[in-house]
Amino acid sequence: TPTFSVDPEGYMTCESVRIRDIQDSLETSPVYIYSKAQIENNYKAYQEALTGLDSIIGYAIKANNNLRIVELLRSLGSGAVLVSGNELRLAVKAGMDMTKTVFNGNGKTSKELEFAVECGCLINIDSEFDLEHIATASKKAGKRANVLIRINPDVDPQVHPYISTGLASSKFGIRNSHLQWFLDRIRDEDSLVLAGVHCHLGSTIKKVSIFKDAAEIMLGFISEIRRQGFDTLKFLNIGGGLGIDYERLGENIPRPVDLISTIRPQLVEAKLTIIVEPGRSMVGNTAIMASKVIGVKTNGSKNFIVTDGSMAELIRPSLYDAYQFISLTEPGGEVDTFDIVGPVCESADFLGKERVLPRPEEGAGLAVMDSGAYCYAMASNYNMKVKPVEVLVDGSSWKIIRKAETFDDIMAAYN
Ligand code: LLP
């Protein structure tokens, strides 16, 4: 059975728990509700896809930085991919193995880099200045840094421009025509050890051929780099980016095994350790954001369901025009077409448009599906709204894994 389902009385469930029961027990709304089983299943799908290969699964913490979720993934064997010093601190707190951890980013500060070198994680080189900053940090820490060069394979991921990253004009990665400069500089720099190459094409990718094309381009770079005598190179990091079925149309979204199968023979032949950096495909479908209906209104030709959840807690629809499936968590009335909006004071505040749903009662529960990735993590305090409570369901039990933020928490920053 799917993790999120509907019971015979018409109530939505997560594993064996009714969403409505969780909503009724909590003092605040909205709430993020995660399924432990779904997280485990997603991890296993990567693990099984990589069977027989030397590999690192580097969970992209940016997708969801809940400490308990990061700890759960670590306990399953996951490494991590980080994009800030604080994500690195979180990874350390979660007990992540630093040899399975990659620090990535186009604007890593000197302070962050010194910490990264001390921790001993892998570090991506993103530019000329970044290389110099890593070398300086490494000398200061008195420790060599294992580095990967982030290359732009210039393959179009065919996704929203805001989440497309691997093109030649991207703000990430090196100028490929300047690769020789990087190789020469690393060769001359004792503090740097060239451990591999990295690329990341973009996010929500639905075609494995895109990964295959990129991997082949990367393998070309690897042969050239090895030909120049860099025998320490062992990692091909193909980034993250696998899409998920937000539309729930039963589309054929590639699975981790489809992705890995297309490049398995090349990896074996080149004796490479593959690094994957899944975020969305690891945690995206593991959660919902459940809110409560404040009221239903009609203006002009439009019906609106106004909920206590908004763009402050879940910004993807407003920011990327992203589609996430929406359902009531309990039975409703006559079916009609509604825009689902929050109370935030601007028209960009919507969770879904033109959705066909049973008309909900005031106080009814409403779930935005597939909210495990880039939802809580991108929540803000806009309109002085607070970060919502997060709950983890495990079979027939559930517990709060992060409390809701409070007004006092926000006030604590003032002196
Ligand atoms: N590795 C790197 C270098 C990345 O930049 C990203 C995501 C990932 C891995 C993980 O990608 P994923 O497997 O999750 O697609 N906020 C946007 C998504 C931004 C993705 C940024 N990079 C959204 O809500 O759709």
Side-chain angles (χ1 to χ4, degrees), residues 93-107:
K93 227 183 168 90
M96 278 288 171
D97 177 348
M98 286 297 138
T99 65
K100 295 198 278 189
T101 297
V102 185
F103 188 23
N104 185 42
N106 64 326

Side-chain angles (χ1 to χ4, degrees), residues 166-179:
L167 295 171
S169 57
S170 157
K171 77 162 177 168
F172 300 103
I174 66 155
R175 228 184 324 170
N176 296 353
S177 56
H178 215 193
L179 177 64

Side-chain angles (χ1 to χ4, degrees), residues 183-224:
L183 297 178
D184 294 342
R185 187 68 189 83
I186 293 169
R187 197 195 307 278
D188 291 346
E189 181 56 70
D190 274 344
S191 64
L192 304 179
V193 181
L194 184 57
V197 291
H198 170 259
C199 67
H200 173 75
L201 308 172
S203 207
T204 69
I205 299 173
K206 292 185 181 173
K207 282 189 199 159
V208 281
S209 60
I210 292 170
F211 288 101
K212 183 167 193 253
D213 294 349
E216 270 160 15
I217 292 165
M218 295 300 285
L219 286 162
F221 283 113
I222 288 173
S223 318
E224 172 56 24

Side-chain angles (χ1 to χ4, degrees), residues 37-80:
Q38 191 64 52
I39 299 172
E40 290 167 345
N41 288 344
N42 292 352
Y43 185 79
K44 270 186 218 134
Y46 271 100
Q47 202 174 28
E48 281 164 18
L50 290 161
T51 305
L53 290 171
D54 291 324
S55 66
I56 294 174
I57 300 174
Y59 165 60
I61 287 186
K62 66 167 99 174
N64 189 305
N65 58 34
N66 186 296
L67 176 61
R68 303 297 167 228
I69 290 173
V70 177
E71 283 171 343
L72 171 60
L73 285 165
R74 190 262 301 139
S75 75
L76 297 170
S78 189

Side-chain angles (χ1 to χ4, degrees), residues 161-320:
Y162 286 11
I163 51 174
S164 165
T165 36
L167 295 171
S169 57
S170 157
K171 77 162 177 168
F172 300 103
I174 66 155
R175 228 184 324 170
N176 296 353
S177 56
H178 215 193
L179 177 64
Q180 194 58 50
W181 180 90
F182 287 88
L183 297 178
D184 294 342
R185 187 68 189 83
I186 293 169
R187 197 195 307 278
D188 291 346
E189 181 56 70
D190 274 344
S191 64
L192 304 179
V193 181
L194 184 57
V197 291
H198 170 259
C199 67
H200 173 75
L201 308 172
S203 207
T204 69
I205 299 173
K206 292 185 181 173
K207 282 189 199 159
V208 281
S209 60
I210 292 170
F211 288 101
K212 183 167 193 253
D213 294 349
E216 270 160 15
I217 292 165
M218 295 300 285
L219 286 162
F221 283 113
I222 288 173
S223 318
E224 172 56 24
I225 295 169
R226 281 183 165 165
R227 200 185 55 76
Q228 295 194 24
F230 288 92
D231 51 14
T232 50
L233 187 151
K234 67 169 182 175
F235 295 115
L236 169 57
N237 185 336
I238 58 158
L242 210 56
I244 62 170
D245 189 15
Y246 282 116
E247 287 80 12
R248 299 193 164 230
L249 295 170
E251 241 185 313
N252 244 346
I253 310 272
R255 298 159 301 161
V257 65
D258 304 314
L259 165 63
I260 301 303
S261 307
T262 58
I263 51 175
R264 176 179 282 272
Q266 295 90 317
L267 293 170
V268 174
E269 201 199 308
K271 294 197 168 57
L272 289 164
T273 298
I274 183 169
I275 304 179
V276 288
E277 304 183 336
R280 194 185 315 273
S281 54
M282 192 68 91
V283 292
N285 68 352
T286 67
I288 61 167
M289 184 182 82
S291 56
K292 288 185 187 164
V293 174
I294 298 172
V296 182
K297 66 192 266 185
T298 302
N299 276 351
S301 57
K302 268 194 177 303
N303 301 318
F304 296 94
I305 299 175
V306 184
T307 73
D308 54 15
S310 71
M311 70 187 287
E313 296 85 11
L314 199 156
I315 201 176
R316 300 190 66 258
S318 305
L319 187 57
Y320 312 113

